[in-house]
Amino acid sequence: MWPESGKECLGDLRPLARVIRLSLRWLARMRTSKTFLYGSLAAIALFSLGGCRPRGAVQFPTYFAAGEAYQPSADSSNAYDGYRLAAETVRKDAAEWMRRSRFTPAFTARFLAATEPAISQMIRATERECRFEFRAQDPFLPRPENEAWSVLARASAMRVERAAKAGQWREAVTLVIATHKMAADLQGGDTSDAATGFAIAQATRLAIAPYLPELPARELQRLGRSVLRSLDNAPRPTVTRDHEASSDRAGDHFVMDAAVEENCTRMEQHKNKDIRPAVNFLRGLGADERVEFLNGLAQEGETLIAHSRSQIDLPAVEREDLEFDKNADRPWKRLARQLFGTLTPYKSMRDAWLAQSRLLGLTALAYAEGKTTGRAPEVFTEAPAGSTIDPYSGKPFPYRTAGREFRIYAVGIDGQDDNGQSDDAGLEPDVILAPLTR
């Protein structure tokens, strides 16, 4: 219960914290900008509270205790420090390129020159073991290191393609190995870090894939072994899951601060008429109804999150949807499914990353043996245990050979073997490495 005097906002803010955090999920699916999302979040809070008024000081539960921001060291033997320092170098040397989407040949040359020091830092860092120094942080603030790492991904892919076109195979393969090691290491963060890693790996995988048939056997072996080893050493998805929960608690704490400490002026500054459709259903409720609605929404959201976590280690075909009683009075049900949980899309993205990265490593090894012996391998004896498992089915990848020729792919989210048939993205119905034409 709230005190009767001092400064206070209407209602219990704990469920409000959750609905605001979840509203971000719903709005994010509309692919809006971060500024818009954060403004929307604050406006939802303002409407839901029904205004603030003077009352007494309130003691809130502690959802998150902020620690000191991590400071990377140039003298560290930890790969993570190198990744963070490479991000700082990108922001210093290549700031003008961070928002550019189109590159002429002249711009490409300047961009690659500007990012060369950061790429060198990244490559050196990947030669060391990584201890991800995770610090849960306010999820509504930008993450400059993730943005800078995405720039590194683009620069690395451009350099891979440039080197491959020139027949500079060792340079091209070294970059692919480095980016896949970094992508695996970033699984030690939360889902935002993990997704950045997925994008980094995808960029150089797509760049090298068309050239795999031309690579020398030695470089193919180096590529295949290194990529599969990085995947084998990557943090488990349970690590990402737990770190994401910490980031969610940081979000709860942000909402508490915004709503209680200096929130009225702060939130009023973020009003945005474009988010009215997303909050009108809350505005139409009375104060008591809001509390009941938000409590029900929060409870259902926690159920959805718990279910998602229980499925995270299962192959895609074994995961089950969570079913609620269709006859129950749950006016918040659509909002709950839209707003709660980043773990479900994370699992889908991780499936694709794991499948296509494994396919890259195995394809490289198959080409290497074909060039060396004249026949593709019947079994992948050099691959780490588990590397031939399709994350969609939990069974070995479909793999067929005929002399030097071979076909390997993943069955995709439907679990059906469609003989390797796929779309331009290589993701459905079956998942393939990448289009092998250029």
Side-chain angles (χ1 to χ4, degrees), residues 182-193:
M182 181 177 177
D185 288 343
L186 292 184
Q187 305 310 301
D190 60 12
T191 59
S192 179
D193 299 310

Side-chain angles (χ1 to χ4, degrees), residues 366-404:
Y367 274 128
E369 187 159 334
K371 287 174 180 272
T372 302
T373 69
R375 297 186 63 86
E378 295 296 326
V379 293
F380 292 96
T381 56
E382 295 184 70
S387 297
T388 60
I389 298 300
D390 182 343
Y392 291 99
S393 67
K395 301 175 182 179
F397 290 111
Y399 176 58
R400 305 175 184 88
T401 66
R404 289 181 59 172

